[in-house]
Amino acid sequence: AQSVTQLDSQVPVFEEAPVELRCNYSSSVSVYLFWYVQYPNQGLQLLLKYLSGSTLVKGINGFEAEFNKSQTSFHLRKPSVHISDTAEYFCAVRKTGTASKLTFGTGTRLQVTL
Amino acid sequence: DAGVIQSPRHEVTEMGQEVTLRCKPISGHDYLFWYRQTMMRGLELLIYFNNNVPIDDSGMPEDRFSAKMPNASFSTLKIQPSEPRDSAVYFCASSFDDRGGEQYFGPGTRLTVT
């Protein structure tokens, strides 16, 4: 089975500052990795995903993430955040191949202030 | 496309009553997922379907929960009888390719059982 750990439940940051949201996963097989964002009272929206190839993945809204297989990590970064980035961010993992579950982390609340 | 459609958006019911949540996936998507989100347990996959057939229902909490997908454009999640601990936000998501395909989430149904 796969598992995801998001160590930081909340990350406060000032506007225009850089941010990193941490995600570590555990799996005995190859996996796909995802970051989703949830704005208040909305469903989840995909930010980016790693399936294969380049370990640096760029997503929407200026976010990027780097897959590090040796450290089993998939940290999310943004060089300069905006107030509108305030939301809950979820890291998720699923094993490659057919018909597999998407396992979510517990989420990190990013709070951007002026 | 209108995206994944869920109804109702909010449901308040009394303990013991039957609750039915509805989902219309994105046209052409052949996978449909039901999730539950609570503060205590985070996001949990309840069940998912492929081509209208339930593939994995191991996340369904107990026999009070049932899900159906009578056709490619409609699914229901039923709770009978409902209990206060069922209070949560229930999300439906769909995707067209399980091999790393993005899951598109609906806006969710906020269920309150009193």
Side-chain angles (χ1 to χ4, degrees):
Chain A
Q2 294 72 48
S3 66
V4 177
T5 301
Q6 293 182 248
L7 290 172
D8 305 306
S9 59
Q10 294 187 61
V11 173
V13 63
F14 290 111
E15 191 174 37
E16 297 184 4
V19 70
E20 178 180 84
L21 306 183
R22 296 181 293 169
C23 172
N24 287 88
Y25 69 93
S26 174
S27 177
S28 58
V29 299
S30 297
V31 295
Y32 299 140
L33 293 154
F34 304 79
W35 274 100
Y36 281 83
V37 60
Q38 184 179 29
Y39 298 104
N41 299 314
Q42 294 187 28
L44 278 70
Q45 178 184 3
L46 183 70
L47 273 179
L48 48 80
K49 61 184 178 183
Y50 172 79
L51 304 182
S52 65
S54 172
T55 57
L56 182 62
V57 180
K58 294 188 183 297
I60 62 172
N61 300 341
F63 284 92
E64 64 180 32
E66 186 155 19
F67 171 56
N68 188 319
K69 188 174 182 179
S70 63
Q71 297 187 7
T72 60
S73 67
F74 191 54
H75 301 330
L76 181 70
R77 302 185 184 97
K78 186 170 183 177
S80 176
V81 296
H82 302 285
I83 292 286
S84 59
D85 292 324
T86 295
E88 191 87 17
Y89 291 79
F90 293 91
C91 182
V93 63
R94 63 200 277 178
K95 65 180 181 180
T96 60
T98 62
S100 59
K101 296 181 182 181
L102 191 62
T103 301
F104 285 89
T106 52
T108 297
R109 170 75 177 169
L110 176 63
Q111 182 68 52
V112 183
T113 55
L114 294 173
Chain B
D1 201 309
V4 176
I5 299 172
Q6 291 187 247
S7 64
R9 292 294 310 276
H10 301 273
E11 177 80 37
V12 180
T13 190
E14 293 183 348
M15 183 174 63
Q17 297 298 306
E18 177 180 296
V19 175
T20 299
L21 311 181
R22 297 172 176 80
C23 175
K24 177 179 169 55
I26 294 173
S27 177
H29 284 191
D30 50 8
Y31 284 86
L32 184 139
F33 305 82
W34 281 102
Y35 291 90
R36 179 173 67 176
Q37 185 178 38
T38 62
M39 289 293 293
M40 293 297 293
R41 301 172 68 92
L43 264 167
E44 305 172 275
L45 177 66
L46 300 178
I47 185 172
Y48 76 96
F49 297 81
N50 176 217
N51 292 323
N52 313 336
V53 176
I55 301 300
D56 186 344
D57 65 354
S58 60
M60 295 286 264
E62 49 200 271
D63 292 345
R64 297 185 298 106
F65 286 69
S66 63
K68 294 181 180 179
M69 193 165 185
N71 56 63
S73 59
F74 184 65
S75 177
T76 60
L77 178 67
K78 186 176 293 187
I79 308 173
Q80 166 63 20
S82 58
E83 297 182 1
R85 60 191 168 123
D86 302 330
S87 297
V89 180
Y90 291 82
F91 289 104
C92 176
S94 70
S95 71
F96 75 95
D97 176 12
D98 185 65
R99 303 188 190 202
E102 174 183 352
Q103 290 185 20
Y104 292 79
F105 281 74
T109 295
R110 182 174 296 277
L111 173 65
T112 303
V113 184
T114 60

